[in-house]
Amino acid sequence: MAGLGLMTFFALLAGTIGWASPYDPVRIPDGDLAALKLAPPSSSHWLGTDHAGRDLFTRVFFAARVSLFIGAACTAFSLVLGLPLGAAAGYFGGWADQGVSRALDVLLSFPSILLAIAIAASMGAGLGTVVLAVGIVGVPQFARQVRASVLTLREQDFVTASRALGAGHGRILFLDILPNALGPIIVLATLGVGTSILMAAGLSFIGLGVEAGTPEWGLMLREGYRDRTLSPWPALFSGLAISLSVLGFNLFGDGLRDALDPRSTEVR
Amino acid sequence: MTAYVLRRLLLLPVVLWAVSLVVFVLMRVVPGDPTVSILGEKAKEADRKALRERMGLDKPLPVQYAIYLGKLLQGDLGRPYKAAGDTVAQEIRRRLPPTIELTLAAMAIAVLGGLALGIFSAVYKNTWVDYLSMSVALAGVSVPIFWLGLLLILAFGRFLPIGGNLGVEFFLEPRTGFVILDAALAGEGEMFRDALLHLLMPAVALATIPLAMTARITRASMLEVLGSDYIRTARAKGAAPWRVITRHALRNALIPIVTLVGLEFGYLLGGAVLTETVFDWPGMGTYILHSVQNTEHESIGGAVLVLSSTFVVVNLAVDLLYAFIDPRVRYGHA
């Protein structure tokens, strides 16, 4: 429940910050920059200001839109690629399984953030690159999970019954097997959003993320890190936003797993 | 057992070859024409063509890959496009030991800390000790490593050195490249202490996530083992409570943890890139960072290849160790 609360908190503030805050998240305010920039938290700027004098509270929650979108988009990318690959490998077995499993093994031979860095570096920084790089890195996890679930389910009686009734592969796979394999996939997707936010922030932190100026947590943390001796607040609050949102997804994912998996409740 | 070990060893070159192919595609094929970044966008087409010929980029891709692979086998990882001086291999030879040093230190903290936290949580299940440990572990997997590094700098930056792996006042003749080991070999106590202090914050920052993962797995694994009949028997025979936990339960609970440690090594190698950036640690991470900033694809490719190959070899070693300590794992009998 705490996880759901955190997720709702970020989603609500991200959705309403546009009209709730009097400040612009991107435009550099007029006036004396030296007086405005890197101000500590105050009644007019609850979390202080960044290096360009912009309100941090507005930027942190505006950035939630970008970062949550990146997290969701990367996970969706991993799922869209991983699900059919894993399903085909698990259902058809033989060469399909060998081919998919070996390709996944190759991807898993790379430490995940290194593979993301290599993909992002080869394509050049940008939002699309981040989604692609982090999304590809997540494919093996989904594919393996789906494969394992399909392998177990394809031997079940209800599948044999469906086959005996003359159902084709597509019908068996998509209407009989996959709906029953959804539980662990939903858990993995929830946890995957948190992991993707972390990894995308990592890419931004080393300069391989979204374009400069975009309100995004990783990039804000990078800028805050640069200004840390002048003011710790920008780095502190953007890092805190990443941590709390990822914690939210992790808590929610853990809760879902416990709810869906009877064994884990026994162990606990 | 021998057949299993042999099969895994024979597969190793195949995996390494596949890794090299991915790196080649990512660093040589996807980025497009490197002459643009070397000569600039305004260079004449004739100059570009000449450079492409000199670099062998006018040849078909399979030929280029064969040449690349041939050089790799001789330890030649290429040369940075723009920076003069050392080859990629020379630079990596200098920067790999500090990264391994940081990774091993973080691994030690993660395994010891994670085991302790996990065991305490399992033994004191559903008490405040358990809730606190698991809350710390859950927070640990949610925090970005570079933010944690920054928090450490803000909290302890006044007391501990930041930047580099040794104070500038020291001069150390590199023997192994591992600063702590070199300082110990040189018999320089003060230098050894300084190197340890430099290592402390980056290692703690890097260790956090693996420590949290180890703690969670250890707790689950210990809880499963502590519920088994042989533990009840040991207790019934009057074995001391901590003896039951350390001698009877932990030994069997360790099996899944060994696999996790192998996976964590990969995480640590990757995480080292981000940690080194925060602490300006002179290893592979800062090398990758500088190469990214200068779009030096040869250098990025070389570094990614070496780190990934290290990961592959370590994972193989862990898998073999796993098969050794748990006979059920020798595939086919699992």
Side-chain angles (χ1 to χ4, degrees), chain B residues 23 56 70 102 104-105 113 169 194 205 264 323:
Chain B
V23 170
L102 177 61
L104 289 179
E169 66 273 28
D194 187 71
E264 280 177 356

Side-chain angles (χ1 to χ4, degrees), chain B residues 101 176 178-186 192:
Chain B
E101 199 165 38
T176 60
F178 297 90
V179 173
I180 292 184
L181 195 60
D182 283 349
L185 287 174
F192 180 76

Side-chain angles (χ1 to χ4, degrees), chain B residues 145-170:
Chain B
I145 206 166
F146 35 97
W147 187 58
L148 192 75
L150 183 72
L151 290 184
L152 288 174
I153 290 177
L154 290 173
F156 303 105
R158 288 186 200 161
F159 318 106
L160 289 167
I162 309 159
N165 55 356
L166 191 65
V168 284
E169 66 273 28
F170 296 105

Side-chain angles (χ1 to χ4, degrees), chain B residues 125-148:
Chain B
K125 189 177 85 159
N126 295 338
T127 64
W128 67 270
V129 180
D130 181 25
Y131 295 135
L132 184 70
S133 313
M134 284 306 107
S135 304
V136 170
L138 190 63
V141 289
S142 310
V143 174
I145 206 166
F146 35 97
W147 187 58
L148 192 75

Side-chain angles (χ1 to χ4, degrees), chain A residues 110 121-122 225 235 250-251 254, chain B residues 26 138 142 150 216 278 297 308:
Chain A
F110 293 87
S122 72
Y225 172 73
N250 282 347
L251 279 171
D254 274 4
Chain B
L26 283 178
L138 190 63
S142 310
L150 183 72
R216 285 163 63 117
V278 177
H297 290 119
S308 304

